[in-house]
Amino acid sequence: MRSDIYIHHYELVSRFGLNSRSDRTRHKGVLIKIGDGVGCIHPWRELGDPSLEELIEDLRKGRFFRPLVRSAIKCAMVDGRARSQGVSVFDKVEVPRSHATIVGGSERIEEAVAAGFEVVKMKAGRRVAEEVELLNAMHERYPNLRWRLDFNNVLDGGGIRAFIKSLNESLRVKIDFLEDPCEVNDRDWAGIRSLYGIPLAVDRKVEEARGQFTYAIAKPALDDITPLCARAMIEGWELVFTSYMDHPIGQCYAAWCSGKVEKRFYGLEDPVAGLMTHGLFEPDAFIERMGDPSPQWQSPGGTGFGFDDLLEDVKWEKLK
Amino acid sequence: MRSDIYIHHYELVSRFGLNSRSDRTRHKGVLIKIGDGVGCIHPWRELGDPSLEELIEDLRKGRFFRPLVRSAIKCAMVDGRARSQGVSVFDKVEVPRSHATIVGGSERIEEAVAAGFEVVKMKAGRRVAEEVELLNAMHERYPNLRWRLDFNNVLDGGGIRAFIKSLNESLRVKIDFLEDPCEVNDRDWAGIRSLYGIPLAVDRKVEEARGQFTYAIAKPALDDITPLCARAMIEGWELVFTSYMDHPIGQCYAAWCSGKVEKRFYGLEDPVAGLMTHGLFEPDAFIERMGDPSPQWQSPGGTGFGFDDLLEDVKWEKLK
């Protein structure tokens, strides 16, 4: 008995550009459905992903090898299995706390602090003077708040040094890490694992980064999690699990993966994660179901990855 | 805290060549160890795998992407986790029954029947006249015995038709499938899913085979199992789980994977598997621990994938 693949095109709308490489605010992806199992494919072209059309074509042809397709399939299988058993995937799964992912200025940071976040992750590097001013001011107001700065490689080695130097020293010790501070082929990259005592994190280019970092960003939307954890165990990396700024279904999948990983076995310290990203988008029914962003993960309830009633109303298109 | 990778070179010795493409009887591979977790890498060059040296180099460099390396890593992680908990991976896992994998003549088939096997898998296509004679004679002696014939694509379309025609008709209905009967770019390939009523199976070339088969061979040593099962669910394939004719550790990993797959969810029929291959090799301590080949899987006992005491005596070499 064959199962068909169904897809549903969706669009998420953000109030700001969501990475340092683009000001795009409309973000297209597809939900996929196989049997009762649902997943999502949400490429970021500006970060090197294939186009949505190419990925849908892979799906149509049964080519489940490329990371975004493979993860969507795995998500759908986990989801479908749990739905068929009438259980939530989050039963007995402990999802780590998250930082606030902030795009925008002081108002968003104030909201995050009010919501209980202890760590704020901010994109940086495109408007250096503004960002430095904001950081220094916010640190003065919230001296215990911790920071993660994601540069998406937009600065060069000199630029990143200048950036850090212009931050107050008491703020520097409150920075968990600098993510993708500059291109890993920058001559300033070799030999550093930290910059003025601040650890480095690497997102997409762990291969090229030659171990010059403390934190690797683990993205269940892309990564084959077991080999990645094995790698972390061998190389001594810490893993920061993050969602892909994708559909709430994908956000739930990332949270679930991060909760399922047996960190003690891999010797991982389980740092604060980045699983709380739905607040970056204009609300829709799925996003509202996720509740107000807060550091502690909240299951959307229902079976599988949840949203049972909302998924019933989705208009599905048969893929072949 | 970093974990090191250790390897141990081993050699398995078979009494005959083990596929229709080679008469090689010495088969080299490596056990790998990360923490307490063990896996194996066992390439078959004649079937298109990279060399053992290339795969070890991948391992050394932390490149865990190629199928044989990725599977060895996954095996080691499953194994290590279970060992750290002091439990066998086979607790509560139901491994399907297996066919006998036969290389050689009537004597081996008699042994298999005596051991209780109901299905025999035989390499075929290289000595057609001999093989046809053997099959007809064995069918006369054991009329209920079922057969799986693996041609490793050595015949062309005409050759495979001639082969089947020369088998007694009462034998033909006792053949479960013809595996890789000819190259999938053979002009006789298009449009068939069975040959004289006998279903076809495809091992390595499922992409190229354009759905012209009923059974896909699932090899946990190579395959990413969840996407493969999803594919089977969508395409209506049945999966025959088989070991990779590799070290008993790899054989155990394949058996465990086949037992863990939730066949009912994927709509899989769970045909007889091919997990019993250690009898093809000259005995050593690991192979002896697997017991006499029999259709029913037997756990080697111990923790993880077993062999606790034997692994203590292995001479490990630190990889980096």
Side-chain angles (χ1 to χ4, degrees):
Chain A
M1 198 197 59
R2 289 171 190 232
S3 296
D4 293 310
I5 307 181
Y6 294 85
I7 63 171
H8 167 73
H9 287 269
Y10 67 78
E11 185 177 79
L12 302 177
V13 180
S14 61
R15 276 172 289 191
F16 302 91
L18 291 182
N19 67 71
S20 303
R21 294 210 167 270
S22 154
D23 285 322
R24 185 160 70 91
T25 59
R26 307 188 85 83
H27 312 280
K28 288 178 196 295
V30 288
L31 291 179
I32 72 165
K33 186 159 86 85
I34 302 168
D36 291 328
V38 176
C40 82
I41 299 179
H42 194 95
W44 291 91
R45 296 307 307 273
E46 51 273 69
L47 299 178
D49 286 335
S51 72
L52 187 57
E53 292 65 36
E54 286 173 273
L55 296 167
I56 292 171
E57 193 54 23
D58 272 10
L59 199 62
R60 188 195 310 277
K61 295 216 164 129
R63 293 185 301 232
F64 299 165
F65 315 124
R66 283 204 271 196
L68 287 171
V69 174
R70 181 185 61 198
S71 292
I73 291 285
K74 288 186 177 180
C75 174
M77 294 300 108
V78 170
D79 183 56
R81 218 157 43 200
R83 287 186 200 278
S84 73
Q85 296 164 352
V87 299
S88 166
V89 298
F90 292 108
D91 290 351
K92 293 182 198 156
V93 173
E94 226 176 286
V95 176
R97 289 170 76 81
S98 282
H99 59 238
T101 302
I102 296 291
V103 182
S106 58
E107 204 183 318
R108 297 279 161 264
I109 295 169
E110 286 156 14
E111 281 170 18
V113 172
F117 286 99
E118 297 132 20
V119 188
V120 162
K121 172 167 169 175
M122 226 179 73
K123 301 286 173 177
R126 295 187 92 196
R127 297 177 195 86
V128 169
E130 263 175 61
E131 291 154 6
V132 166
E133 190 182 350
L134 178 69
L135 282 163
N136 283 327
M138 288 292 108
H139 171 62
E140 199 161 324
R141 174 137 26 132
Y142 306 114
N144 293 320
L145 193 60
R146 284 171 18 238
W147 299 88
R148 296 170 170 191
L149 303 179
D150 183 359
F151 294 89
N152 288 111
N153 311 114
V154 289
L155 296 181
D156 61 11
I160 185 76
R161 282 172 195 278
F163 189 105
I164 302 306
K165 272 193 198 166
S166 59
L167 299 178
N168 295 336
E169 282 191 37
S170 66
L171 166 55
R172 288 186 212 165
V173 300
K174 289 293 181 189
I175 301 179
D176 278 1
F177 55 73
L178 307 171
E179 182 175 335
D180 294 337
C182 61
E183 291 290 353
V184 298
N185 57 9
D186 193 282
R187 67 192 170 79
D188 285 347
W189 185 256
I192 56 166
R193 253 178 94 95
S194 66
L195 207 59
Y196 301 104
I198 307 171
L200 306 185
V202 169
D203 184 354
R204 295 201 168 224
K205 299 196 170 167
V206 294
E207 292 312 314
E208 298 90 324
R210 285 158 289 149
Q212 301 303 315
F213 57 90
T214 303
Y215 297 93
I217 308 299
K219 297 169 298 300
L222 278 179
D223 295 316
D224 200 357
I225 295 298
T226 300
L228 178 65
C229 290
R231 187 86 191 276
M233 187 178 178
I234 291 160
E235 310 274 0
W237 303 341
E238 293 301 332
L239 296 181
V240 178
F241 279 84
T242 73
S243 63
Y244 207 54
M245 300 193 295
D246 50 358
H247 190 279
I249 285 279
Q251 190 181 332
C252 285
Y253 177 65
W256 176 81
C257 286
S258 79
K260 286 291 278 187
V261 163
E262 294 176 56
K263 283 118 183 174
R264 187 179 298 185
F265 168 71
Y266 291 109
L268 296 171
E269 279 177 11
D270 205 13
V272 167
L275 302 163
M276 202 55 71
T277 48
H278 61 280
L280 296 168
F281 302 104
E282 299 291 347
D284 65 16
F286 283 90
I287 285 170
E288 282 176 355
R289 182 66 52 86
M290 296 301 296
D292 290 332
S294 74
Q296 188 54 57
W297 176 260
Q298 295 160 284
S299 161
T303 63
F305 285 110
F307 312 100
D308 305 42
D309 54 326
L310 300 180
L311 288 169
E312 273 176 28
D313 294 336
V314 165
K315 294 217 172 5
W316 296 103
E317 167 194 340
K318 191 166 153 181
L319 196 57
K320 56 177 184 179
Chain B
M1 198 198 59
R2 290 171 191 235
S3 294
D4 293 309
I5 306 180
Y6 295 85
I7 62 171
H8 167 74
H9 287 269
Y10 66 80
E11 185 177 80
L12 302 177
V13 181
S14 61
R15 276 172 288 191
F16 302 91
L18 291 183
N19 67 70
S20 304
R21 295 209 167 271
S22 154
D23 286 322
R24 184 160 71 92
T25 59
R26 306 187 87 83
H27 311 280
K28 288 178 195 297
V30 288
L31 290 180
I32 72 165
K33 187 158 85 87
I34 302 168
D36 291 329
V38 177
C40 83
I41 299 179
H42 194 95
W44 291 91
R45 297 304 309 269
E46 51 274 71
L47 299 178
D49 286 335
S51 73
L52 187 57
E53 292 67 35
E54 287 173 271
L55 296 168
I56 292 171
E57 194 54 22
D58 271 9
L59 199 63
R60 185 194 313 276
K61 296 218 163 128
R63 293 186 301 234
F64 298 165
F65 315 125
R66 281 203 273 198
L68 287 171
V69 174
R70 179 186 61 198
S71 292
I73 291 286
K74 287 187 176 180
C75 174
M77 294 300 108
V78 170
D79 182 56
R81 215 158 45 200
R83 287 186 200 278
S84 73
Q85 297 164 351
V87 298
S88 167
V89 298
F90 292 108
D91 289 352
K92 294 184 197 155
V93 172
E94 226 177 285
V95 176
R97 291 170 74 82
S98 282
H99 60 238
T101 302
I102 296 293
V103 182
S106 58
E107 206 183 318
R108 297 279 162 263
I109 296 168
E110 285 156 15
E111 281 171 19
V113 172
F117 286 99
E118 296 132 21
V119 189
V120 162
K121 172 168 168 173
M122 227 178 74
K123 302 285 173 177
R126 295 185 91 197
R127 296 179 196 86
V128 170
E130 261 177 62
E131 290 154 6
V132 166
E133 192 182 351
L134 177 68
L135 281 163
N136 282 328
M138 288 292 108
H139 171 62
E140 199 160 325
R141 179 146 15 142
Y142 306 115
N144 292 320
L145 193 60
R146 276 159 36 225
W147 300 88
R148 296 169 169 192
L149 304 178
D150 183 359
F151 294 89
N152 289 112
N153 311 114
V154 289
L155 297 181
D156 61 11
I160 185 75
R161 282 171 195 277
F163 189 105
I164 303 306
K165 272 195 200 167
S166 59
L167 299 177
N168 295 337
E169 282 190 36
S170 66
L171 165 56
R172 289 185 212 165
V173 300
K174 289 292 179 188
I175 301 178
D176 278 0
F177 56 72
L178 308 171
E179 181 175 336
D180 294 337
C182 61
E183 291 291 353
V184 297
N185 56 9
D186 194 283
R187 66 190 169 82
D188 285 346
W189 185 256
I192 55 168
R193 254 179 94 96
S194 67
L195 208 59
Y196 301 104
I198 308 171
L200 306 185
V202 168
D203 185 353
R204 294 201 169 225
K205 299 195 172 169
V206 293
E207 292 313 315
E208 298 91 322
R210 285 158 287 149
Q212 302 302 315
F213 57 89
T214 303
Y215 296 94
I217 307 300
K219 298 169 296 300
L222 279 180
D223 296 314
D224 200 357
I225 294 298
T226 300
L228 178 64
C229 289
R231 185 88 191 273
M233 188 178 176
I234 290 160
E235 309 274 1
W237 302 341
E238 293 300 331
L239 296 181
V240 178
F241 279 84
T242 73
S243 64
Y244 207 54
M245 298 193 297
D246 50 0
H247 190 280
I249 285 280
Q251 190 181 332
C252 284
Y253 177 64
W256 176 82
C257 286
S258 78
K260 285 292 276 186
V261 164
E262 294 176 55
K263 281 120 183 173
R264 188 179 300 184
F265 169 71
Y266 292 109
L268 296 171
E269 280 179 8
D270 205 12
V272 167
L275 302 162
M276 201 55 72
T277 48
H278 61 280
L280 296 167
F281 302 104
E282 299 290 345
D284 65 16
F286 283 90
I287 285 170
E288 283 176 355
R289 181 66 53 84
M290 296 301 296
D292 291 330
S294 74
Q296 189 53 57
W297 175 261
Q298 294 160 284
S299 161
T303 64
F305 285 110
F307 312 102
D308 304 42
D309 54 324
L310 300 180
L311 288 168
E312 273 177 28
D313 294 336
V314 165
K315 295 216 172 6
W316 296 105
E317 168 194 340
K318 191 167 152 182
L319 197 55
K320 55 177 186 179

